[in-house]
Amino acid sequence: MKILDLYILKKFLKTYVFAVFLIVLIVMVIDYTEKIDDFIRKQAPLNEILFDYYLNFIPYWANYISPLMVFIATVFFTANLAAKTEIIAILSSGVSFTRLMRPYLIGSSIVAVGTFIMIGWIVPNANKIRVPFEHKYINNTYFFDKRDVHIKIAPEIYAYIESYDNSTNTGYRFSLERISNNEIKEKLMSDHITWDSVRKKWTIHDYRIRTLVGKKPGIVFGSRIDTTLNLYPKDFQNKHLLHETFTLPELERHIQLVRSRGADGIEIFLIEKYLRFANPFSVIILTIIGFLVSARKSRGGVGFQIALGFSLAFVYILFFMMSKGIAEGGGMPPLLAVWLPNIIFGGIGIGLYYTLPR
């Protein structure tokens, strides 16, 4: 790596880190101002506010704004180089425009790898602490209010709960069915079930088991039985931001679990999975676009190029949010929704490369 590459790479990374630090600091101040009443009202301890919430708040927001900050940093840094005619001097020395892009690609690749590690493992582990804090001290108390819940817990076993009280971990009007070849072979019915937190088992109360196999169907009554099921109290807990608390391997396992149960709402987990692979590529794509729109000295000055950069960033955010919202509603395949902004802006980058004078 030559001195020129090191110079540009160092400036690029310093500008990016400074931009991320500045925006995260501003967001933290705004967030504290908005939530201070909740902290006081619910008597959140200071050490939990600092270490459980804001210490884990930093990596979440640093990663969240990373693609846009690398774009803004690229535009700001490159526009300043162009304004000082440094880029003209570099090109005049015989360095090609394509060769000039190399340190930007190296820098964006470093940020992309860091983003992948952050979004795949570091941020989810931080969210495991931050999200419960929000549920406890910021959000309202959660009550599971869904009714007539059907869950597939095994290949031929289906559970049904009419209602569930998550404060006592009690399910009412519970039934368990074994279905084979579209026929009910066995059915257990109970007035209510409770979770034994010590033994990690369900206790089924006042049950009756009806067997429908053979010529003489039978029925068995009982007052209490303990059993293990592929069903847990966490399945009825607050699922707000649950997808953000899974590391990449945990997210994949959860997707397989949701698929095996045939449950709704798998789109949000698929979007999260694909997003973790698409984000690093968006960092590289946006860096290239930022370089292309700001590498030429503009008559409008640096301010015009920075404003153009912010405009493109706004369009990217708007486009991404629209496609993500459509996918969550089931109107677009999650894979296409996540990658569509990268595909569109990748095409824009190729068009700019071949059309902009340099």
Side-chain angles (χ1 to χ4, degrees), residues 322-334:
M322 288 177 59
S323 60
K324 182 180 178 182
I326 294 172
E328 289 177 352
M332 183 186 295

Side-chain angles (χ1 to χ4, degrees), residues 67 135 165 172-173 237 267:
H135 293 336
D165 186 348
Y172 297 95
R173 296 189 63 81
Q237 293 175 354
E267 289 81 10

Side-chain angles (χ1 to χ4, degrees), residues 4-5 8 87 90-108 287-288 291-292 295 349-350 352-358:
L4 175 63
D5 296 327
I8 294 177
I87 291 181
I90 293 171
L91 296 176
S92 300
S93 66
V95 176
S96 67
F97 191 80
T98 303
R99 173 64 180 80
L100 182 61
M101 291 176 59
R102 189 165 79 174
Y104 288 89
L105 291 174
I106 294 173
S108 62
T287 298
I288 294 173
F291 170 74
L292 292 173
I350 294 173
L352 290 173
Y353 179 81
Y354 286 105
T355 57
L356 284 179
R358 50 186 187 269

Side-chain angles (χ1 to χ4, degrees), residues 17 50 67 70 107 152 171 199 201 246 261 312 326 347 353 355:
V17 171
L50 295 176
V70 76
K152 183 180 180 181
R199 293 186 295 171
K201 292 183 177 182
F246 293 130
R261 290 178 171 179
L312 287 173
I326 294 172
Y353 179 81
T355 57

Side-chain angles (χ1 to χ4, degrees), residues 225-337:
I225 186 174
D226 294 333
T227 184
T228 57
L229 302 171
N230 188 22
L231 187 69
Y232 304 95
K234 65 181 181 181
D235 295 320
F236 305 98
Q237 293 175 354
N238 193 345
K239 292 195 169 44
H240 178 62
L241 299 180
L242 176 64
H243 56 286
E244 295 184 359
T245 64
F246 293 130
T247 62
L248 201 54
E250 291 170 346
L251 181 62
E252 185 62 40
R253 288 194 294 268
H254 187 78
I255 290 173
Q256 295 301 324
L257 175 62
V258 174
R259 278 178 173 159
S260 68
R261 290 178 171 179
D264 296 330
I266 193 174
E267 289 81 10
I268 191 170
F269 297 104
L270 289 174
I271 290 172
E272 180 68 19
K273 174 188 173 180
Y274 299 139
L275 187 63
R276 297 185 184 189
F277 290 95
N279 261 9
F281 286 94
S282 67
V283 168
I284 298 174
I285 292 170
L286 291 175
T287 298
I288 294 173
I289 294 177
F291 170 74
L292 292 173
V293 300
S294 56
R296 191 166 53 91
K297 190 172 183 179
S298 173
R299 292 181 180 180
V302 177
F304 172 76
Q305 291 170 303
I306 294 175
L308 178 61
F310 272 102
S311 299
L312 287 173
F314 175 77
V315 171
Y316 180 85
I317 294 173
L318 183 62
F319 199 84
F320 172 75
M321 292 181 65
M322 288 177 59
S323 60
K324 182 180 178 182
I326 294 172
E328 289 177 352
M332 183 186 295
L335 181 61
L336 177 61

